[in-house]
Amino acid sequence: MATIKNIQPLNAESLFDLLKTGFADYINGKLGSNLAIDYAHVYDEINVLFPEVIEGPALNITVTDVELTVTLLAKETDYNTALLEENLVAFLTEQAG
């Protein structure tokens, strides 16, 4: 689990829009890949899914006025989820800081 100070502050809806428009390009550029990424947004929770490589939600972001909390959900997988989490945290740190 990682916590990022929400300095901007971003609300869940604006963060959801940022993820949809910028995160795929960001992570695919960093990893030299072409991952498909889906998002599910309900109230202050955003799930990040990588359907081609991980079944179900891989990461969860909880959004408050003070912080963004990233939680790894896909712990039982052969894919390097720590790398996905690292890149999501880096992206969020750039966007919220």
Side-chain angles (χ1 to χ4, degrees):
M1 183 166 70
T3 304
I4 300 136
K5 291 195 183 275
N6 194 2
I7 296 171
Q8 290 294 338
L10 294 170
N11 63 32
E13 286 185 19
S14 61
L15 179 58
F16 183 67
D17 289 339
L18 278 171
L19 288 167
K20 289 191 309 184
T21 58
F23 182 58
D25 290 340
Y26 176 87
I27 194 168
N28 285 326
K30 294 284 184 182
L31 300 179
S33 62
N34 192 22
L35 290 170
I37 304 172
D38 290 332
Y39 307 94
H41 169 234
V42 177
Y43 188 58
D44 64 348
E45 303 278 329
I46 301 170
N47 285 337
V48 183
L49 300 91
F50 300 88
E52 294 175 337
V53 293
I54 298 171
E55 187 175 325
L59 300 159
N60 173 271
I61 307 164
T62 303
V63 181
T64 69
D65 292 338
V66 177
E67 64 189 17
L68 309 174
T69 304
V70 177
T71 306
L72 178 62
L73 300 175
K75 295 178 182 172
E76 302 285 327
T77 181
D78 294 335
Y79 200 80
N80 188 350
T81 54
L83 186 59
L84 299 175
E85 182 180 20
E86 261 178 51
N87 280 280
L88 178 60
V89 169
F91 177 80
L92 294 174
T93 301
E94 284 181 18
Q95 299 302 316

